[in-house]
Short mmCIF file of all heavy atoms in Angstrom, two decimals:
data_model
loop_
_atom_site.label_atom_id
_atom_site.label_comp_id
_atom_site.label_asym_id
_atom_site.label_seq_id
_atom_site.Cartn_x
_atom_site.Cartn_y
_atom_site.Cartn_z
N THR S 244 -9.66 -24.68 17.01
CA THR S 244 -9.47 -25.94 17.73
C THR S 244 -10.21 -27.11 17.09
O THR S 244 -9.63 -28.19 16.93
CB THR S 244 -9.91 -25.77 19.20
OG1 THR S 244 -9.27 -24.61 19.74
CG2 THR S 244 -9.51 -26.98 20.00
N PRO S 245 -11.51 -26.97 16.72
CA PRO S 245 -12.21 -28.16 16.20
C PRO S 245 -11.54 -28.74 14.96
O PRO S 245 -11.41 -29.95 14.84
CB PRO S 245 -13.61 -27.62 15.86
CG PRO S 245 -13.77 -26.41 16.69
CD PRO S 245 -12.40 -25.81 16.81
N SER S 246 -11.11 -27.89 14.03
CA SER S 246 -10.58 -28.41 12.77
C SER S 246 -9.06 -28.43 12.74
O SER S 246 -8.47 -28.88 11.77
CB SER S 246 -11.09 -27.56 11.59
OG SER S 246 -10.70 -26.22 11.78
N ALA S 247 -8.40 -27.96 13.80
CA ALA S 247 -6.93 -27.90 13.83
C ALA S 247 -6.39 -27.17 12.62
O ALA S 247 -5.37 -27.56 12.05
CB ALA S 247 -6.34 -29.31 13.92
N PHE S 248 -7.07 -26.13 12.19
CA PHE S 248 -6.66 -25.34 11.04
C PHE S 248 -6.27 -23.95 11.53
O PHE S 248 -6.93 -23.38 12.39
CB PHE S 248 -7.83 -25.25 10.04
CG PHE S 248 -7.56 -24.39 8.84
CD1 PHE S 248 -6.61 -24.77 7.91
CD2 PHE S 248 -8.24 -23.20 8.64
CE1 PHE S 248 -6.35 -23.98 6.80
CE2 PHE S 248 -8.00 -22.40 7.54
CZ PHE S 248 -7.05 -22.80 6.61
N SER S 249 -5.18 -23.40 10.98
CA SER S 249 -4.69 -22.10 11.42
C SER S 249 -4.57 -21.16 10.24
O SER S 249 -4.29 -21.59 9.12
CB SER S 249 -3.31 -22.23 12.06
OG SER S 249 -3.37 -23.01 13.21
N ILE S 250 -4.79 -19.88 10.50
CA ILE S 250 -4.50 -18.86 9.50
C ILE S 250 -3.55 -17.83 10.11
O ILE S 250 -3.51 -17.66 11.33
CB ILE S 250 -5.77 -18.15 8.98
CG1 ILE S 250 -6.48 -17.40 10.11
CG2 ILE S 250 -6.71 -19.12 8.30
CD1 ILE S 250 -7.58 -16.46 9.62
N GLU S 251 -2.80 -17.18 9.24
CA GLU S 251 -1.85 -16.15 9.66
C GLU S 251 -2.32 -14.84 9.03
O GLU S 251 -2.47 -14.76 7.81
CB GLU S 251 -0.45 -16.53 9.16
CG GLU S 251 0.69 -15.91 9.91
CD GLU S 251 2.04 -16.43 9.44
OE1 GLU S 251 2.10 -17.56 8.91
OE2 GLU S 251 3.02 -15.70 9.59
N VAL S 252 -2.57 -13.84 9.83
CA VAL S 252 -3.09 -12.57 9.32
C VAL S 252 -1.92 -11.68 8.91
O VAL S 252 -1.23 -11.10 9.75
CB VAL S 252 -3.95 -11.85 10.39
CG1 VAL S 252 -4.56 -10.57 9.80
CG2 VAL S 252 -5.07 -12.78 10.88
N LEU S 253 -1.70 -11.57 7.61
CA LEU S 253 -0.61 -10.75 7.10
C LEU S 253 -1.11 -9.33 6.85
O LEU S 253 -2.30 -9.05 6.97
CB LEU S 253 -0.06 -11.36 5.80
CG LEU S 253 0.42 -12.81 5.90
CD1 LEU S 253 0.99 -13.28 4.57
CD2 LEU S 253 1.46 -12.94 7.01
N ALA S 254 -0.16 -8.46 6.47
CA ALA S 254 -0.49 -7.04 6.31
C ALA S 254 -1.65 -6.77 5.36
O ALA S 254 -2.58 -6.02 5.71
CB ALA S 254 0.76 -6.27 5.87
N PRO S 255 -1.65 -7.35 4.14
CA PRO S 255 -2.77 -7.04 3.23
C PRO S 255 -4.11 -7.59 3.70
O PRO S 255 -5.15 -7.22 3.17
CB PRO S 255 -2.35 -7.70 1.91
CG PRO S 255 -0.90 -7.90 2.02
CD PRO S 255 -0.64 -8.18 3.47
N CYS S 256 -4.08 -8.50 4.69
CA CYS S 256 -5.32 -9.10 5.20
C CYS S 256 -5.85 -8.34 6.40
O CYS S 256 -6.95 -8.63 6.87
CB CYS S 256 -5.08 -10.54 5.63
SG CYS S 256 -4.15 -11.52 4.45
N ALA S 257 -5.09 -7.40 6.92
CA ALA S 257 -5.50 -6.69 8.14
C ALA S 257 -6.67 -5.76 7.84
O ALA S 257 -6.83 -5.29 6.71
CB ALA S 257 -4.32 -5.88 8.69
N SER S 258 -7.46 -5.48 8.87
CA SER S 258 -8.65 -4.63 8.67
C SER S 258 -8.26 -3.18 8.42
O SER S 258 -9.08 -2.39 7.95
CB SER S 258 -9.56 -4.71 9.90
OG SER S 258 -8.90 -4.21 11.04
N SER S 259 -7.00 -2.82 8.71
CA SER S 259 -6.57 -1.45 8.43
C SER S 259 -6.29 -1.23 6.95
O SER S 259 -6.37 -0.10 6.46
CB SER S 259 -5.31 -1.13 9.23
OG SER S 259 -4.28 -2.06 8.90
N PHE S 260 -5.97 -2.30 6.23
CA PHE S 260 -5.50 -2.14 4.85
C PHE S 260 -6.52 -1.46 3.94
O PHE S 260 -6.13 -0.60 3.13
CB PHE S 260 -5.09 -3.51 4.29
CG PHE S 260 -4.20 -3.44 3.10
CD1 PHE S 260 -2.85 -3.18 3.23
CD2 PHE S 260 -4.70 -3.65 1.82
CE1 PHE S 260 -2.01 -3.12 2.13
CE2 PHE S 260 -3.87 -3.59 0.71
CZ PHE S 260 -2.53 -3.33 0.87
N PRO S 261 -7.81 -1.82 3.98
CA PRO S 261 -8.76 -1.18 3.05
C PRO S 261 -9.27 0.20 3.49
O PRO S 261 -10.06 0.80 2.76
CB PRO S 261 -9.94 -2.16 3.00
CG PRO S 261 -9.77 -3.10 4.10
CD PRO S 261 -8.48 -2.86 4.78
N LEU S 262 -8.83 0.71 4.64
CA LEU S 262 -9.43 1.95 5.15
C LEU S 262 -9.16 3.14 4.23
O LEU S 262 -9.97 4.06 4.14
CB LEU S 262 -8.93 2.24 6.57
CG LEU S 262 -9.32 1.20 7.62
CD1 LEU S 262 -8.91 1.68 9.02
CD2 LEU S 262 -10.81 0.90 7.60
N GLY S 263 -8.00 3.14 3.57
CA GLY S 263 -7.71 4.22 2.63
C GLY S 263 -8.70 4.21 1.47
O GLY S 263 -9.19 5.25 1.03
N ALA S 264 -9.00 3.01 0.96
CA ALA S 264 -9.95 2.89 -0.14
C ALA S 264 -11.35 3.28 0.31
O ALA S 264 -12.12 3.85 -0.45
CB ALA S 264 -9.94 1.47 -0.68
N VAL S 265 -11.70 2.97 1.57
CA VAL S 265 -13.02 3.35 2.10
C VAL S 265 -13.14 4.87 2.15
O VAL S 265 -14.18 5.44 1.78
CB VAL S 265 -13.23 2.73 3.50
CG1 VAL S 265 -14.49 3.27 4.15
CG2 VAL S 265 -13.32 1.21 3.39
N ALA S 266 -12.07 5.54 2.58
CA ALA S 266 -12.10 7.01 2.62
C ALA S 266 -12.22 7.59 1.22
O ALA S 266 -12.95 8.56 0.98
CB ALA S 266 -10.84 7.54 3.32
N LEU S 267 -11.49 7.01 0.27
CA LEU S 267 -11.58 7.48 -1.12
C LEU S 267 -12.99 7.26 -1.66
O LEU S 267 -13.55 8.14 -2.32
CB LEU S 267 -10.56 6.75 -1.99
CG LEU S 267 -10.59 7.09 -3.48
CD1 LEU S 267 -10.21 8.55 -3.71
CD2 LEU S 267 -9.64 6.19 -4.27
N ALA S 268 -13.58 6.09 -1.38
CA ALA S 268 -14.95 5.81 -1.83
C ALA S 268 -15.91 6.84 -1.26
O ALA S 268 -16.82 7.31 -1.96
CB ALA S 268 -15.35 4.39 -1.39
N TYR S 269 -15.72 7.19 0.00
CA TYR S 269 -16.59 8.19 0.63
C TYR S 269 -16.51 9.51 -0.12
O TYR S 269 -17.54 10.12 -0.46
CB TYR S 269 -16.16 8.38 2.10
CG TYR S 269 -17.17 9.15 2.91
CD1 TYR S 269 -18.08 8.48 3.73
CD2 TYR S 269 -17.23 10.53 2.85
CE1 TYR S 269 -19.03 9.16 4.46
CE2 TYR S 269 -18.17 11.24 3.58
CZ TYR S 269 -19.06 10.55 4.39
OH TYR S 269 -20.01 11.23 5.11
N ALA S 270 -15.30 9.94 -0.41
CA ALA S 270 -15.11 11.22 -1.12
C ALA S 270 -15.73 11.15 -2.52
O ALA S 270 -16.39 12.10 -2.97
CB ALA S 270 -13.63 11.55 -1.21
N VAL S 271 -15.53 10.03 -3.21
CA VAL S 271 -16.05 9.89 -4.58
C VAL S 271 -17.58 10.00 -4.57
O VAL S 271 -18.16 10.72 -5.40
CB VAL S 271 -15.59 8.53 -5.18
CG1 VAL S 271 -16.39 8.19 -6.42
CG2 VAL S 271 -14.11 8.59 -5.52
N VAL S 272 -18.23 9.32 -3.66
CA VAL S 272 -19.70 9.33 -3.64
C VAL S 272 -20.22 10.72 -3.28
O VAL S 272 -21.17 11.22 -3.89
CB VAL S 272 -20.24 8.27 -2.66
CG1 VAL S 272 -21.75 8.38 -2.51
CG2 VAL S 272 -19.86 6.87 -3.13
N ARG S 273 -19.58 11.37 -2.31
CA ARG S 273 -20.05 12.72 -1.91
C ARG S 273 -19.88 13.71 -3.05
O ARG S 273 -20.76 14.53 -3.32
CB ARG S 273 -19.27 13.19 -0.67
CG ARG S 273 -19.60 12.45 0.60
CD ARG S 273 -21.05 12.65 1.08
NE ARG S 273 -21.22 13.97 1.67
CZ ARG S 273 -22.29 14.74 1.45
NH1 ARG S 273 -23.25 14.33 0.65
NH2 ARG S 273 -22.39 15.92 2.02
N ILE S 274 -18.76 13.62 -3.76
CA ILE S 274 -18.52 14.55 -4.88
C ILE S 274 -19.47 14.22 -6.01
O ILE S 274 -19.96 15.12 -6.71
CB ILE S 274 -17.04 14.49 -5.31
CG1 ILE S 274 -16.17 15.11 -4.22
CG2 ILE S 274 -16.82 15.21 -6.64
CD1 ILE S 274 -14.68 14.94 -4.43
N PHE S 275 -19.77 12.95 -6.22
CA PHE S 275 -20.73 12.55 -7.25
C PHE S 275 -22.09 13.15 -6.96
O PHE S 275 -22.83 13.52 -7.88
CB PHE S 275 -20.81 11.03 -7.32
CG PHE S 275 -21.75 10.52 -8.37
CD1 PHE S 275 -21.39 10.54 -9.71
CD2 PHE S 275 -23.00 10.01 -8.03
CE1 PHE S 275 -22.25 10.07 -10.69
CE2 PHE S 275 -23.86 9.55 -9.00
CZ PHE S 275 -23.48 9.57 -10.33
N GLU S 276 -22.42 13.28 -5.68
CA GLU S 276 -23.69 13.90 -5.30
C GLU S 276 -23.66 15.41 -5.42
O GLU S 276 -24.66 16.07 -5.17
CB GLU S 276 -24.02 13.53 -3.84
CG GLU S 276 -24.37 12.06 -3.63
CD GLU S 276 -24.78 11.83 -2.19
OE1 GLU S 276 -23.96 12.11 -1.27
OE2 GLU S 276 -25.90 11.38 -1.96
N GLY S 277 -22.49 15.97 -5.72
CA GLY S 277 -22.38 17.42 -5.89
C GLY S 277 -21.96 18.15 -4.63
O GLY S 277 -22.08 19.37 -4.56
N ALA S 278 -21.47 17.43 -3.61
CA ALA S 278 -21.06 18.06 -2.35
C ALA S 278 -19.60 17.75 -2.08
O ALA S 278 -19.08 16.74 -2.55
CB ALA S 278 -21.93 17.55 -1.20
N LEU S 279 -18.94 18.63 -1.33
CA LEU S 279 -17.57 18.38 -0.90
C LEU S 279 -17.59 17.85 0.53
O LEU S 279 -18.34 18.37 1.36
CB LEU S 279 -16.74 19.66 -0.95
CG LEU S 279 -16.22 20.10 -2.31
CD1 LEU S 279 -15.42 21.38 -2.18
CD2 LEU S 279 -15.36 19.02 -2.94
N PRO S 280 -16.77 16.84 0.85
CA PRO S 280 -16.72 16.37 2.24
C PRO S 280 -16.25 17.48 3.16
O PRO S 280 -15.36 18.27 2.81
CB PRO S 280 -15.70 15.23 2.19
CG PRO S 280 -15.61 14.83 0.77
CD PRO S 280 -15.89 16.06 -0.03
N ASP S 281 -16.87 17.57 4.36
CA ASP S 281 -16.41 18.53 5.36
C ASP S 281 -16.45 17.86 6.74
O ASP S 281 -16.65 16.65 6.84
CB ASP S 281 -17.27 19.81 5.32
CG ASP S 281 -18.75 19.52 5.53
OD1 ASP S 281 -19.07 18.51 6.20
OD2 ASP S 281 -19.58 20.30 5.03
N ARG S 282 -16.28 18.67 7.80
CA ARG S 282 -16.14 18.05 9.12
C ARG S 282 -17.42 17.34 9.56
O ARG S 282 -17.38 16.45 10.41
CB ARG S 282 -15.75 19.11 10.15
CG ARG S 282 -16.70 20.27 10.26
CD ARG S 282 -16.14 21.34 11.21
NE ARG S 282 -17.02 22.51 11.23
CZ ARG S 282 -18.08 22.62 12.04
NH1 ARG S 282 -18.37 21.66 12.88
NH2 ARG S 282 -18.83 23.70 12.00
N HIS S 283 -18.57 17.73 8.98
CA HIS S 283 -19.81 17.04 9.35
C HIS S 283 -19.84 15.60 8.83
O HIS S 283 -20.66 14.79 9.27
CB HIS S 283 -21.02 17.80 8.79
CG HIS S 283 -21.14 19.19 9.35
ND1 HIS S 283 -21.48 19.43 10.66
CD2 HIS S 283 -20.94 20.40 8.77
CE1 HIS S 283 -21.50 20.74 10.87
NE2 HIS S 283 -21.17 21.35 9.76
N ASP S 284 -18.95 15.29 7.90
CA ASP S 284 -18.88 13.93 7.36
C ASP S 284 -18.05 13.00 8.24
O ASP S 284 -18.07 11.78 8.04
CB ASP S 284 -18.27 13.95 5.95
CG ASP S 284 -19.20 14.55 4.92
OD1 ASP S 284 -20.24 13.91 4.64
OD2 ASP S 284 -18.91 15.65 4.42
N LEU S 285 -17.29 13.55 9.17
CA LEU S 285 -16.38 12.72 9.96
C LEU S 285 -17.08 11.57 10.69
O LEU S 285 -16.57 10.43 10.67
CB LEU S 285 -15.58 13.58 10.93
CG LEU S 285 -14.51 14.45 10.27
CD1 LEU S 285 -13.84 15.36 11.29
CD2 LEU S 285 -13.46 13.60 9.56
N PRO S 286 -18.21 11.79 11.36
CA PRO S 286 -18.86 10.65 12.03
C PRO S 286 -19.29 9.56 11.04
O PRO S 286 -19.19 8.37 11.34
CB PRO S 286 -20.08 11.28 12.71
CG PRO S 286 -19.75 12.72 12.83
CD PRO S 286 -18.91 13.05 11.64
N TRP S 287 -19.76 9.99 9.86
CA TRP S 287 -20.18 8.99 8.87
C TRP S 287 -18.97 8.22 8.34
O TRP S 287 -19.04 7.01 8.11
CB TRP S 287 -20.89 9.68 7.70
CG TRP S 287 -22.21 10.27 8.09
CD1 TRP S 287 -22.49 11.58 8.34
CD2 TRP S 287 -23.44 9.55 8.29
NE1 TRP S 287 -23.81 11.72 8.68
CE2 TRP S 287 -24.42 10.50 8.66
CE3 TRP S 287 -23.81 8.21 8.19
CZ2 TRP S 287 -25.73 10.15 8.92
CZ3 TRP S 287 -25.12 7.86 8.45
CH2 TRP S 287 -26.06 8.83 8.81
N LEU S 288 -17.86 8.93 8.13
CA LEU S 288 -16.63 8.26 7.68
C LEU S 288 -16.14 7.27 8.74
O LEU S 288 -15.73 6.15 8.42
CB LEU S 288 -15.54 9.29 7.37
CG LEU S 288 -14.20 8.73 6.90
CD1 LEU S 288 -14.36 7.91 5.62
CD2 LEU S 288 -13.20 9.87 6.68
N ALA S 289 -16.22 7.68 10.00
CA ALA S 289 -15.81 6.78 11.08
C ALA S 289 -16.69 5.53 11.09
O ALA S 289 -16.20 4.42 11.28
CB ALA S 289 -15.90 7.50 12.43
N ALA S 290 -17.99 5.72 10.84
CA ALA S 290 -18.90 4.57 10.80
C ALA S 290 -18.55 3.65 9.64
O ALA S 290 -18.60 2.42 9.75
CB ALA S 290 -20.35 5.05 10.68
N ALA S 291 -18.19 4.26 8.50
CA ALA S 291 -17.79 3.46 7.33
C ALA S 291 -16.53 2.65 7.64
O ALA S 291 -16.41 1.48 7.28
CB ALA S 291 -17.56 4.37 6.12
N TRP S 292 -15.58 3.29 8.34
CA TRP S 292 -14.35 2.58 8.71
C TRP S 292 -14.64 1.43 9.66
O TRP S 292 -14.10 0.34 9.50
CB TRP S 292 -13.36 3.56 9.35
CG TRP S 292 -12.56 4.35 8.36
CD1 TRP S 292 -12.32 4.03 7.05
CD2 TRP S 292 -11.89 5.58 8.61
NE1 TRP S 292 -11.55 4.98 6.46
CE2 TRP S 292 -11.25 5.95 7.39
CE3 TRP S 292 -11.75 6.41 9.71
CZ2 TRP S 292 -10.50 7.11 7.26
CZ3 TRP S 292 -11.00 7.55 9.58
CH2 TRP S 292 -10.38 7.90 8.37
N LEU S 293 -15.47 1.67 10.67
CA LEU S 293 -15.78 0.62 11.64
C LEU S 293 -16.48 -0.55 10.95
O LEU S 293 -16.20 -1.72 11.25
CB LEU S 293 -16.67 1.18 12.75
CG LEU S 293 -15.95 2.05 13.78
CD1 LEU S 293 -16.94 2.71 14.71
CD2 LEU S 293 -14.95 1.22 14.58
N THR S 294 -17.39 -0.23 10.02
CA THR S 294 -18.10 -1.29 9.30
C THR S 294 -17.12 -2.10 8.46
O THR S 294 -17.20 -3.33 8.40
CB THR S 294 -19.18 -0.68 8.41
OG1 THR S 294 -20.06 0.10 9.22
CG2 THR S 294 -19.98 -1.76 7.70
N SER S 295 -16.19 -1.41 7.79
CA SER S 295 -15.19 -2.11 6.99
C SER S 295 -14.35 -3.03 7.85
O SER S 295 -14.09 -4.19 7.49
CB SER S 295 -14.30 -1.08 6.28
OG SER S 295 -13.20 -1.71 5.66
N ALA S 296 -13.93 -2.54 9.02
CA ALA S 296 -13.11 -3.36 9.92
C ALA S 296 -13.90 -4.57 10.40
O ALA S 296 -13.38 -5.69 10.47
CB ALA S 296 -12.63 -2.53 11.11
N ALA S 297 -15.19 -4.36 10.71
CA ALA S 297 -16.02 -5.46 11.17
C ALA S 297 -16.20 -6.51 10.08
O ALA S 297 -16.15 -7.72 10.34
CB ALA S 297 -17.37 -4.94 11.63
N LEU S 298 -16.40 -6.05 8.84
CA LEU S 298 -16.54 -7.00 7.73
C LEU S 298 -15.27 -7.82 7.55
O LEU S 298 -15.32 -9.03 7.31
CB LEU S 298 -16.85 -6.24 6.43
CG LEU S 298 -18.29 -5.80 6.22
CD1 LEU S 298 -18.38 -4.88 5.00
CD2 LEU S 298 -19.22 -6.98 6.07
N THR S 299 -14.11 -7.14 7.64
CA THR S 299 -12.84 -7.85 7.48
C THR S 299 -12.67 -8.90 8.56
O THR S 299 -12.27 -10.04 8.29
CB THR S 299 -11.67 -6.87 7.51
OG1 THR S 299 -11.86 -5.88 6.50
CG2 THR S 299 -10.36 -7.57 7.27
N GLU S 300 -12.97 -8.51 9.79
CA GLU S 300 -12.76 -9.47 10.88
C GLU S 300 -13.77 -10.61 10.81
O GLU S 300 -13.45 -11.75 11.16
CB GLU S 300 -12.81 -8.74 12.22
CG GLU S 300 -11.50 -7.99 12.44
CD GLU S 300 -11.52 -7.08 13.62
OE1 GLU S 300 -12.58 -6.97 14.27
OE2 GLU S 300 -10.46 -6.46 13.89
N GLY S 301 -14.98 -10.31 10.33
CA GLY S 301 -15.94 -11.39 10.11
C GLY S 301 -15.44 -12.37 9.07
O GLY S 301 -15.53 -13.59 9.22
N ARG S 302 -14.85 -11.81 8.02
CA ARG S 302 -14.29 -12.67 6.96
C ARG S 302 -13.14 -13.52 7.51
O ARG S 302 -13.04 -14.71 7.21
CB ARG S 302 -13.81 -11.79 5.82
CG ARG S 302 -13.27 -12.55 4.63
CD ARG S 302 -12.77 -11.59 3.59
NE ARG S 302 -12.22 -12.27 2.43
CZ ARG S 302 -11.19 -11.83 1.73
NH1 ARG S 302 -10.61 -10.70 2.06
NH2 ARG S 302 -10.75 -12.51 0.69
N LEU S 303 -12.27 -12.90 8.32
CA LEU S 303 -11.16 -13.65 8.91
C LEU S 303 -11.68 -14.77 9.80
O LEU S 303 -11.15 -15.88 9.80
CB LEU S 303 -10.26 -12.72 9.72
CG LEU S 303 -9.40 -11.73 8.92
CD1 LEU S 303 -8.74 -10.73 9.85
CD2 LEU S 303 -8.34 -12.45 8.10
N ALA S 304 -12.74 -14.47 10.57
CA ALA S 304 -13.30 -15.48 11.47
C ALA S 304 -13.84 -16.66 10.67
O ALA S 304 -13.67 -17.82 11.06
CB ALA S 304 -14.40 -14.86 12.33
N LEU S 305 -14.48 -16.38 9.54
CA LEU S 305 -15.00 -17.47 8.71
C LEU S 305 -13.85 -18.25 8.07
O LEU S 305 -13.89 -19.48 7.99
CB LEU S 305 -15.92 -16.89 7.63
CG LEU S 305 -17.26 -16.37 8.12
CD1 LEU S 305 -18.01 -15.64 7.01
CD2 LEU S 305 -18.13 -17.51 8.67
N MET S 306 -12.82 -17.53 7.62
CA MET S 306 -11.70 -18.21 6.94
C MET S 306 -10.95 -19.12 7.89
O MET S 306 -10.34 -20.11 7.46
CB MET S 306 -10.73 -17.18 6.34
CG MET S 306 -11.27 -16.49 5.10
SD MET S 306 -9.97 -15.76 4.06
CE MET S 306 -9.40 -14.46 5.13
N ALA S 307 -10.99 -18.82 9.19
CA ALA S 307 -10.25 -19.62 10.16
C ALA S 307 -10.93 -20.93 10.50
O ALA S 307 -10.37 -21.75 11.23
CB ALA S 307 -10.03 -18.80 11.44
N GLN S 308 -12.14 -21.15 9.95
CA GLN S 308 -12.90 -22.34 10.35
C GLN S 308 -12.28 -23.62 9.80
O GLN S 308 -12.08 -24.59 10.53
CB GLN S 308 -14.35 -22.23 9.83
CG GLN S 308 -15.11 -21.02 10.35
CD GLN S 308 -15.25 -21.03 11.85
OE1 GLN S 308 -15.65 -22.03 12.44
NE2 GLN S 308 -14.88 -19.95 12.49
N ASP S 309 -12.06 -23.65 8.48
CA ASP S 309 -11.54 -24.87 7.85
C ASP S 309 -10.93 -24.49 6.50
O ASP S 309 -11.20 -23.40 5.97
CB ASP S 309 -12.66 -25.90 7.65
CG ASP S 309 -13.85 -25.33 6.90
OD1 ASP S 309 -13.74 -25.16 5.66
OD2 ASP S 309 -14.88 -25.02 7.54
N PRO S 310 -10.14 -25.38 5.91
CA PRO S 310 -9.47 -25.03 4.64
C PRO S 310 -10.45 -24.71 3.51
O PRO S 310 -10.19 -23.83 2.69
CB PRO S 310 -8.65 -26.30 4.32
CG PRO S 310 -8.45 -26.96 5.64
CD PRO S 310 -9.67 -26.66 6.45
N GLY S 311 -11.58 -25.43 3.44
CA GLY S 311 -12.53 -25.18 2.35
C GLY S 311 -13.08 -23.76 2.38
O GLY S 311 -13.09 -23.05 1.36
N THR S 312 -13.52 -23.34 3.58
CA THR S 312 -14.05 -21.97 3.72
C THR S 312 -12.96 -20.95 3.46
O THR S 312 -13.22 -19.91 2.85
CB THR S 312 -14.63 -21.76 5.13
OG1 THR S 312 -15.50 -22.83 5.45
CG2 THR S 312 -15.37 -20.45 5.22
N TYR S 313 -11.75 -21.26 3.92
CA TYR S 313 -10.63 -20.34 3.69
C TYR S 313 -10.42 -20.11 2.20
O TYR S 313 -10.35 -18.97 1.73
CB TYR S 313 -9.35 -20.90 4.33
CG TYR S 313 -8.11 -20.14 3.95
CD1 TYR S 313 -7.76 -18.98 4.63
CD2 TYR S 313 -7.32 -20.56 2.89
CE1 TYR S 313 -6.65 -18.26 4.27
CE2 TYR S 313 -6.19 -19.84 2.52
CZ TYR S 313 -5.86 -18.70 3.23
OH TYR S 313 -4.76 -17.98 2.86
N HIS S 314 -10.33 -21.19 1.43
CA HIS S 314 -10.05 -21.04 0.01
C HIS S 314 -11.20 -20.36 -0.72
O HIS S 314 -10.98 -19.58 -1.65
CB HIS S 314 -9.74 -22.41 -0.61
CG HIS S 314 -8.39 -22.93 -0.21
ND1 HIS S 314 -7.22 -22.31 -0.60
CD2 HIS S 314 -8.03 -23.98 0.58
CE1 HIS S 314 -6.19 -22.97 -0.08
NE2 HIS S 314 -6.66 -23.97 0.64
#
Side-chain angles (χ1 to χ4, degrees):
Chain S
T244 309
S246 58
F248 177 67
S249 296
I250 63 169
E251 203 175 334
V252 184
L253 304 182
C256 314
S258 63
S259 58
F260 199 79
L262 297 187
V265 171
L267 177 65
Y269 193 99
V271 165
V272 174
R273 290 295 285 138
I274 290 172
F275 181 76
E276 291 185 301
L279 281 180
D281 57 28
R282 57 186 176 86
H283 298 291
D284 288 292
L285 288 176
W287 292 103
L288 180 59
W292 277 339
L293 285 172
T294 303
S295 171
L298 280 172
T299 303
E300 283 171 357
R302 183 182 179 215
L303 289 171
L305 288 172
M306 287 201 292
Q308 300 298 310
D309 53 75
T312 310
Y313 170 83
H314 287 294

